[in-house]
Amino acid sequence: MNDEQEPRMSAQDEIEIEETIESVDEAEKPETADADDEEDFDENLSERLWGLTEMFPCWLRNGASSLSSGSVSGIKSFYSLSRSAFWIVFSSSAILVAPVIFEVERAQMEELQKQQQRQILLGPNAAVTGQPHFPVPMPNPSQQSK
């Protein structure tokens, strides 16, 4: 067997290696410290808003809360009232106006039928004028001189 001996390090070399390891460890610490700080400050939006409420006095927070809830309540009641009002207006107009529209349409149809009857009986000009077509008598020349 070969007796090979490993080279031994001197005390000076060991101290230099330890100092290098310590300097590397110190260089890594600030990076991990920043990562720890970032993790501590991870907040969601609701936590940030809750933290901001502590900046304002209690009376202001209560006033803003009552104003917002009152606005929401007012908008809901206005929406409900407008729905009811539109339903009443449109259903009433349909009930009241529809018979009038039907009656006007019926009257127009009757008038159209009368015009068609006149046209058939008296000729095409009778339907337009609405009066029977009779020849107009000529005035006497003796009546014209007077």
Side-chain angles (χ1 to χ4, degrees):
M1 252 185 155
N2 281 342
D3 286 334
E4 292 182 20
Q5 293 183 349
E6 293 183 21
R8 290 193 146 247
M9 286 197 250
S10 67
Q12 183 75 22
D13 290 336
E14 287 180 12
I15 292 174
E16 287 178 8
I17 291 174
E18 286 178 13
E19 287 176 357
T20 306
I21 291 173
E22 287 176 5
S23 66
V24 170
D25 287 343
E26 288 177 6
E28 290 178 3
K29 283 184 182 179
E31 291 176 10
T32 58
D34 286 341
D36 290 340
D37 289 342
E38 288 177 7
E39 290 175 8
D40 291 341
F41 292 115
D42 283 341
E43 298 176 332
N44 57 19
L45 181 62
S46 63
E47 290 173 345
R48 287 181 181 227
L49 290 175
W50 185 258
L52 287 174
T53 59
E54 296 171 355
M55 291 175 48
F56 301 105
C58 184
W59 61 269
L60 183 63
R61 288 185 302 214
N62 292 339
S65 174
S66 64
L67 179 67
S68 64
S69 64
S71 298
V72 168
S73 174
I75 289 171
K76 284 181 180 180
S77 62
F78 176 74
Y79 177 70
S80 175
L81 179 67
S82 64
R83 279 189 347 185
S84 299
F86 279 131
W87 171 254
I88 291 169
V89 167
F90 288 122
S91 62
S92 298
S93 66
I95 291 171
L96 296 173
V97 174
V100 173
I101 292 173
F102 294 143
E103 192 62 30
V104 168
E105 182 69 25
R106 188 180 62 81
Q108 287 176 349
M109 290 300 292
E110 286 178 1
E111 183 66 31
L112 183 63
Q113 287 176 352
K114 286 180 185 178
Q115 285 180 359
Q116 287 175 349
Q117 284 178 348
R118 281 189 205 136
Q119 186 179 11
I120 291 171
L121 293 175
L122 303 173
N125 290 336
V128 175
T129 60
Q131 296 177 359
H133 183 66
F134 297 112
V136 178
M138 295 287 287
N140 290 335
S142 63
Q143 292 175 351
Q144 285 181 356
S145 60
K146 290 184 182 182

